[in-house]
Amino acid sequence: MTDVSSALDYWPSPPPWGWTADDLDRLPTEGPNGEPDFFKHVELIDGALVFMSPQKRFHERMLFGLRVALNAQAPDHVAAVIEMDVKLGHRMRPCPDVLVIDAQVADDDDRTFYTPDEVHLVVEVVSPESEDRDRKTKPFRYAEAGIAHFWRVEDNDGSPVVYVYELDPATSAYGLTGIHHGRLTVPVPFPIDVDLDKLPR
């Protein structure tokens, strides 16, 4: 088990033994120099701590709107949540923007992360600082972990465009199944019909 307090002695460099997914549950609230909420928005990508920058209103609007819309249409056995980690491996713990997970684990208020077998859909809303992670690194890792459905939301002059992907079990890679402007209608992971331009605000 990593001693987080000793790991922070190497800050801002990573500790020689590297960060692990379990370390995120033991990070202090304050930063190494007393900065408030320093570790509040951090994820682990390939053993590196990634700090998420302040987001635009578009990003927040998509998270809230998609969560409300998905939960309004979701069957009883699943639920949509926002900004919860998925533990993909020892050194991989991203924090997707929206998740559709098993309702049973959504009811556990002590959870700090979910495992791939509990996740049905991952949604990433792309921001300028996260483009490479959301378009390349994370989808590859989600597919590798066996998560069946992935959506990428892009900002097109204030209007959302949703790129929908489904896992090909033969290749363990995502295939693009549709690009949705204005309205998102898909049959999986459950029947979904969302007016993207009229998402709840």
Side-chain angles (χ1 to χ4, degrees):
M1 179 182 292
T2 304
D3 180 5
V4 172
S5 61
S6 63
L8 289 174
D9 291 341
Y10 294 89
W11 192 264
S13 298
W17 53 89
W19 296 101
T20 71
D22 292 334
D23 288 336
L24 269 63
D25 287 328
R26 297 190 293 267
L27 288 170
T29 303
E30 295 184 343
N33 299 308
E35 305 93 335
D37 295 328
F38 188 77
F39 291 110
K40 185 175 182 180
H41 297 291
V42 63
E43 55 187 350
L44 187 73
I45 306 295
D46 293 328
L49 294 180
V50 176
F51 292 85
M52 291 169 272
S53 66
Q55 298 297 338
K56 294 181 179 179
R57 165 67 172 143
F58 175 85
H59 190 273
E60 188 273 341
R61 182 163 61 85
M62 289 300 103
L63 269 61
F64 176 80
L66 286 172
R67 178 186 183 184
V68 171
L70 288 169
N71 277 327
Q73 300 178 36
D76 291 341
H77 68 279
V78 295
V81 299
I82 60 173
E83 296 182 328
M84 288 291 295
D85 294 357
V86 181
K87 186 177 179 181
L88 302 180
H90 184 57
R91 299 193 185 278
M92 195 73 183
R93 185 170 154 176
C95 182
D97 291 315
V98 183
L99 294 163
V100 172
I101 58 173
D102 292 333
Q104 184 177 2
V105 297
D107 288 337
D108 183 353
D109 289 340
D110 291 327
R111 294 290 291 268
T112 58
F113 65 85
Y114 302 108
T115 56
D117 60 298
E118 298 168 331
V119 178
H120 301 269
L121 166 68
V122 169
V123 183
E124 294 288 3
V125 180
V126 177
S127 57
E129 65 85 22
S130 69
E131 282 183 357
D132 281 348
R133 295 194 304 278
D134 292 344
R135 293 174 178 172
K136 299 174 184 177
T137 307
K138 287 184 176 183
F140 176 81
R141 294 297 193 180
Y142 294 143
E144 187 179 56
I147 296 173
H149 302 281
F150 172 72
W151 297 354
R152 191 182 79 246
V153 182
E154 301 269 358
D155 180 355
N156 182 24
D157 292 327
S159 296
V161 179
V162 182
Y163 296 77
V164 174
Y165 297 84
E166 188 170 344
L167 187 67
D168 179 347
T171 62
S172 297
Y174 286 129
L176 180 68
T177 62
I179 302 173
H180 300 260
H181 302 256
R183 192 163 206 97
L184 170 62
T185 304
V186 293
V188 288
F190 54 88
I192 298 167
D193 185 7
V194 176
D195 187 336
L196 295 170
D197 294 326
K198 295 182 179 179
L199 285 171
R201 291 174 175 265

